[in-house]
Amino acid sequence: MEFDAFIIGGGAAGLSCALVLGSAKNKAYAKDKHIGIVVHQKTSHLQTALFNNVLGLTPGTTGESILESGKQQLTELYPHVEQIEGEKVLELEKIKNGFKIKTNKHTYQSRIVVVAVGYTNLMHIKGLEQYVEPHPRSAIEKDRIWLKNTDHLIEENLYVAGSLAGWRSQFAICSGSGAHVATDILTLWNDGIHAKVHDKIEE
């Protein structure tokens, strides 16, 4: 199965990236793009999170509820974004015109890949080892990692988002990082013309 953009990870960064990419469906440069996301969430730090300090979220909102409502939001608003459940990515291989993504069940291909999984040293995706370094914004004793990148770009068409991109593990930061990557991809699809997507209330 082939994709134009493939997101690995269903946490704050991954879902945010998928929502922004999905929301561009009516743009000429994005309307025919095939987008997929592996919504693996078992290791997401949101599973145990409680939010009282996030703009727009009702105090007491749990991270677990956001994970579920985020997938539902993606399903209802942007059903063309394919959600892949029950699979874990094991290997990423660079091929001509993109990447091959191997999970525990299937193999996919995509021109663009976004890695948006957690930043613990338990993250093992074969093919990414050369980019792994100690996290620059986390306490050394926590043994966190990042994938070395410049402004979310690891190499051509390979992006990283969220805490694994070197950002602090704060919900708003990770969510914004995913949106940042999505707009970079939209800009790429728009022939380098800066792109973003906003919905507006009809007057």
Side-chain angles (χ1 to χ4, degrees), residues 54-65:
V54 179
L55 180 66
L57 289 185
T58 302
T61 298
T62 64
E64 185 178 15
S65 69

Side-chain angles (χ1 to χ4, degrees), residues 28-96:
Y29 56 79
K31 66 178 182 179
D32 296 322
K33 300 298 185 185
H34 190 195
I35 303 162
I37 177 172
V38 174
V39 286
H40 185 75
Q41 299 179 330
K42 289 183 179 180
T43 58
S44 173
H45 287 165
L46 287 184
Q47 294 285 3
T48 56
L50 176 67
F51 295 110
N52 294 313
N53 64 351
V54 179
L55 180 66
L57 289 185
T58 302
T61 298
T62 64
E64 185 178 15
S65 69
I66 290 174
L67 289 173
E68 286 306 311
S69 63
K71 290 194 296 183
Q72 188 63 31
Q73 181 181 356
L74 189 60
T75 298
E76 292 177 358
L77 294 178
Y78 313 116
H80 64 289
V81 176
E82 184 170 342
Q83 294 186 49
I84 300 168
E85 297 268 9
E87 296 187 35
K88 185 176 181 179
V89 174
L90 304 176
E91 182 176 354
L92 189 65
E93 178 186 350
K94 190 172 183 178
I95 59 174
K96 185 177 180 180

Side-chain angles (χ1 to χ4, degrees), residues 7-203:
I7 303 161
I8 303 170
L15 285 173
S16 179
C17 185
L19 285 165
V20 174
L21 287 178
S23 70
K25 59 186 175 65
N26 294 325
K27 302 289 185 182
Y29 56 79
K31 66 178 182 179
D32 296 322
K33 300 298 185 185
H34 190 195
I35 303 162
I37 177 172
V38 174
V39 286
H40 185 75
Q41 299 179 330
K42 289 183 179 180
T43 58
S44 173
H45 287 165
L46 287 184
Q47 294 285 3
T48 56
L50 176 67
F51 295 110
N52 294 313
N53 64 351
V54 179
L55 180 66
L57 289 185
T58 302
T61 298
T62 64
E64 185 178 15
S65 69
I66 290 174
L67 289 173
E68 286 306 311
S69 63
K71 290 194 296 183
Q72 188 63 31
Q73 181 181 356
L74 189 60
T75 298
E76 292 177 358
L77 294 178
Y78 313 116
H80 64 289
V81 176
E82 184 170 342
Q83 294 186 49
I84 300 168
E85 297 268 9
E87 296 187 35
K88 185 176 181 179
V89 174
L90 304 176
E91 182 176 354
L92 189 65
E93 178 186 350
K94 190 172 183 178
I95 59 174
K96 185 177 180 180
N97 297 325
F99 299 88
K100 182 183 292 184
I101 305 104
K102 296 180 182 178
T103 77
N104 57 325
K105 295 181 181 179
H106 297 99
T107 298
Y108 306 94
Q109 291 185 22
S110 183
R111 294 187 64 84
I112 294 172
V113 170
V114 181
V115 185
V117 297
Y119 70 154
T120 73
N121 60 1
L122 297 176
M123 193 286 294
H124 293 296
I125 298 177
K126 186 178 179 182
L128 294 176
E129 302 92 340
Q130 61 181 310
Y131 305 113
V132 174
E133 292 187 354
H135 197 282
R137 294 185 177 92
S138 180
I140 294 176
E141 60 269 21
K142 289 190 175 182
D143 202 18
R144 304 303 191 200
I145 63 171
W146 76 314
L147 297 183
K148 189 175 181 180
N149 67 90
T150 301
D151 196 22
H152 294 97
L153 189 65
I154 298 173
E155 62 172 76
E156 186 178 12
N157 292 330
L158 178 59
Y159 295 85
V160 59
S163 55
L164 192 61
W167 302 114
R168 294 186 180 90
S169 183
Q170 192 84 17
F171 176 78
I173 295 174
C174 291
S175 180
S177 172
H180 182 140
V181 170
T183 58
D184 281 350
I185 293 171
L186 295 178
T187 296
L188 188 65
W189 289 345
N190 197 28
D191 295 325
I193 301 171
H194 288 289
K196 56 186 181 293
V197 185
H198 293 304
D199 295 318
K200 294 183 180 180
I201 297 172
E202 297 293 336
E203 294 182 357

